[in-house]
Amino acid sequence: MNYSMTRVAVPLALAAGLLAGCGGISDLTKERVARSETSVQQAQQTVGSSEQGAVELQRAKENLDAARKAMKDGDEKLTERYAQLAQLDAELAVSKSQTASARKAADEMLASIKQLRQEAERPTAPTDLPQRTTDDK
């Protein structure tokens, strides 16, 4: 198993183990919570210390905690709702972070293009020197 699969499989296995003890909650809802946990973890890795997406990531974590609590309390509807919100907020956090990165790259590219244009428009060494003809000898 490669590293990226391990990053996803291990949290899913841990989540499944934790969720197994929650009676009264369907397997489908437990799977949704597990997917939400994975989405939040992946968003954490993507967003990192970036400011873009940090608010949404925090909201995703809070919704995931609420889903876990609702599951522990046996409230399937509330568990579903919070798990879905957690996953959506995690996806939004990733999108905002990636958008900010793409915008930064585009801005850097535009700055490079501007600099190249300025260099291309800069006058070169003068070539006004009189040309020698064969009569000048």
Side-chain angles (χ1 to χ4, degrees):
M1 191 178 323
N2 66 26
Y3 177 71
S4 63
M5 286 182 63
T6 304
R7 282 191 349 218
V8 173
V10 171
L12 278 176
L14 290 173
L18 291 172
L19 301 176
C22 301
I25 302 291
S26 72
D27 288 341
L28 187 61
T29 301
K30 292 175 186 177
E31 287 177 28
R32 175 172 303 278
V33 172
R35 280 193 312 269
S36 297
E37 288 177 339
T38 302
S39 293
V40 170
Q41 290 171 353
Q42 289 173 339
Q44 176 69 51
Q45 291 172 353
T46 301
V47 172
S49 61
S50 171
E51 289 181 26
Q52 299 299 323
V55 171
E56 292 76 14
L57 178 60
Q58 182 59 40
R59 195 169 48 228
K61 290 177 181 180
E62 291 167 359
N63 284 325
L64 183 57
D65 289 342
R68 289 178 182 145
K69 182 182 182 317
M71 187 166 50
K72 188 176 180 182
D73 294 343
D75 189 335
E76 182 147 6
K77 264 187 151 176
L78 206 52
T79 301
E80 270 287 328
R81 172 182 271 160
Y82 280 122
Q84 187 174 19
L85 287 172
Q87 188 166 2
L88 292 171
D89 282 332
E91 291 171 6
L92 181 59
V94 169
S95 294
K96 281 193 166 189
S97 178
Q98 290 174 341
T99 299
S101 295
R103 185 175 295 127
K104 181 180 177 189
D107 288 345
E108 289 172 357
M109 182 64 70
L110 289 172
S112 293
I113 290 170
K114 182 179 178 181
Q115 184 178 4
L116 286 172
R117 282 186 178 149
Q118 289 173 344
E119 287 177 16
E121 292 171 359
R122 189 178 318 146
T124 57
T127 57
D128 312 358
L129 298 176
Q131 296 209 352
R132 296 180 86 183
T133 62
T134 53
D135 296 338
D136 294 342
K137 289 185 186 178

